[in-house]
């Protein structure tokens, strides 16, 4: 079995988030003062986690967020970030720069509801899902290739260290129907990946995990909560498993969704 951890974080708050204005891809708004504080708080929360790969959307709000996270890290401060346009927010076409209420009015006029409605020039939900699937497939191929190339070095302390750093702040092996994490014979993690992206995009990617890959959920989490939109800098953790010799889909285990522990007392800590 080959296992890796995937930590997904939504970007910090922007002024348009607070004002409920659609940003999508065409409105490249920077983080607000609160957003920078949220990113720093997420960085402090994750500062002992050893990431082996870091990916981010190439839009300003995600770039600033991933920078804010890494600059607080004790172990990954100098990590190279791979900026990927496949991690961008859903494209909303003519609705970008307009109030969310206007998007809902456009949907109603078309006899549809958000988020199923696609504004002119925007992406459909299926298009966003395929973009997420493409990124995830390429990521899995990368991790499996590296694990194969480094197989003789990937056992023991390095991989155990990856898992230990996550277990300090995440409920690994708890509240989950899968027993793989609590099995002492399970191999250590070969990689720990950080991804910083956007609310609607993450919702679509997680929908792919749930509906196509049959992602297992913690007992404390129901499907409606799983399919909600992440708050700004909400942190989600998944363990991705590939059985030895398995050519098909991986199994995905959700450890936690949209964790916000780092935001409690944010003003005092940041």
């Amino acid at each position: 079995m080959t296992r890796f951890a995937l930590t997904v974080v939504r970007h910090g708050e922007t002024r348009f988030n607070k004002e409920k204005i659609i940003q999508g891809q065409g409105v490249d708004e920077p983080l607000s003062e609160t957003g920078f504080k949220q990113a720093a708080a997420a960085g402090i929360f994750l500062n002992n986690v050893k990431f082996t790969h870091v990916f981010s959307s190439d839009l300003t709000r995600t770039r600033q967020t991933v920078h804010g996270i890494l600059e607080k890290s004790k172990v990954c401060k100098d990590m190279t970030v791979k900026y990927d346009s496949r991690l961008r927010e859903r494209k909303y076409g003519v609705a970008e720069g307009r109030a969310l209420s206007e998007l809902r009015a456009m949907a109603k006029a078309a006899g549809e509801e958000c988020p199923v409605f696609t504004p002119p020039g925007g992406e459909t939900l299926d298009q966003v899902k395929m973009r997420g699937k493409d990124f995830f497939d390429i990521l899995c191929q990368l991790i499996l290739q590296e694990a194969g190339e480094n197989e003789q070095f990937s056992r023991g302390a390095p991989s155990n260290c990856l898992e230990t750093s996550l277990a300090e702040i995440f409920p690994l092996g708890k509240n989950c129907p899968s027993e793989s994490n609590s099995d002492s014979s399970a191999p250590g993690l070969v990689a720990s990946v950080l991804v910083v992206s956007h609310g609607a995009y993450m919702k679509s990617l997680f929908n792919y995990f749930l509906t196509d890959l049959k992602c297992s959920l913690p007992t404390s989490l129901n499907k409606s909560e799983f399919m909600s939109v992440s708050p700004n800098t909400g942190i989600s953790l998944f363990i991705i498993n590939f059985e030895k010799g398995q050519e098909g889909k991986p199994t995905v285990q959700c450890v936690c969704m949209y964790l916000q522990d780092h935001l409690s007392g944010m003003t005092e800590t940041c």
Side-chain angles (χ1 to χ4, degrees):
M1 180 189 295
T2 301
R3 305 166 62 239
F4 74 92
L6 176 63
T7 303
V8 186
V9 183
R10 187 187 175 195
H11 63 81
E13 181 194 86
T14 69
R15 177 173 60 91
F16 281 7
N17 284 147
K18 190 172 183 179
E19 296 175 359
K20 299 189 184 308
I21 295 174
I22 303 294
Q23 294 168 103
Q25 297 181 16
V27 179
D28 200 14
E29 185 77 2
L31 296 182
S32 63
E33 182 180 352
T34 295
F36 279 111
K37 289 181 178 180
Q38 290 171 336
I44 292 170
F45 183 76
L46 297 168
N47 66 3
N48 283 315
V49 176
K50 173 60 179 174
F51 293 111
T52 57
H53 305 73
V54 180
F55 296 87
S56 171
S57 157
D58 58 354
L59 297 177
T60 297
R61 54 195 183 274
T62 40
R63 283 177 175 268
Q64 291 175 332
T65 299
V66 74
H67 176 74
I69 291 173
L70 293 180
E71 71 176 3
K72 296 294 184 181
S73 176
K74 296 178 180 177
V75 288
C76 301
K77 190 181 294 288
D78 298 320
M79 281 284 293
T80 298
V81 181
K82 295 181 180 178
Y83 295 101
D84 196 319
S85 60
R86 289 171 299 186
L87 292 170
R88 286 183 178 183
E89 181 59 292
R90 180 185 180 186
K91 186 178 181 181
Y92 285 93
V94 299
E96 292 180 349
R98 299 187 182 184
L100 176 59
S101 58
E102 291 187 53
L103 175 63
R104 289 173 175 160
M106 291 170 64
K108 184 176 181 181
E112 299 181 36
E113 293 183 4
C114 294
V116 177
F117 172 68
T118 302
E123 286 181 293
T124 67
L125 290 180
D126 282 344
Q127 288 173 324
V128 181
K129 180 179 176 180
M130 290 307 297
R131 188 153 52 86
K133 178 182 182 300
D134 183 51
F135 171 80
F136 182 69
D137 287 348
I138 295 298
L139 174 63
C140 289
Q141 291 173 26
L142 171 67
I143 300 302
L144 289 174
Q145 179 182 348
E146 291 181 351
E149 293 172 352
N150 302 318
E151 185 175 2
Q152 58 184 331
F153 305 110
S154 64
R155 295 173 182 156
S159 55
N160 289 340
C161 177
L162 298 180
E163 193 145 4
T164 300
S165 71
L166 288 166
E168 290 178 358
I169 56 174
F170 293 109
L172 290 180
K174 298 178 181 179
N175 303 318
C176 192
S178 171
E179 297 178 356
S180 60
N181 279 337
S182 58
D183 186 350
S184 60
S185 65
L189 299 172
V190 300
S192 182
V193 181
L194 172 64
V195 169
V196 179
S197 189
H198 306 262
Y201 177 89
M202 289 166 55
K203 181 179 178 180
S204 182
L205 177 64
F206 297 164
N207 179 53
Y208 169 67
F209 286 175
L210 185 65
T211 59
D212 293 61
L213 301 182
K214 310 303 180 187
C215 176
S216 61
L217 306 183
T219 54
S220 59
L221 185 72
N222 61 48
K223 288 186 178 181
S224 63
E225 292 171 327
F226 184 88
M227 290 311 304
S228 61
V229 176
S230 173
N232 291 112
T233 66
I235 301 173
S236 302
L237 176 64
F238 301 86
I239 301 297
I240 315 299
N241 301 276
F242 282 90
E243 295 294 339
K244 189 173 182 180
Q246 180 183 15
E247 298 298 330
K249 298 175 180 177
T251 58
V252 179
Q253 178 183 5
C254 175
V255 175
C256 64
M257 288 294 293
Y258 306 151
L259 200 66
Q260 301 178 70
D261 293 10
H262 57 290
L263 299 180
S264 60
M266 188 183 68
T267 304
E268 290 77 14
T269 59
C270 300

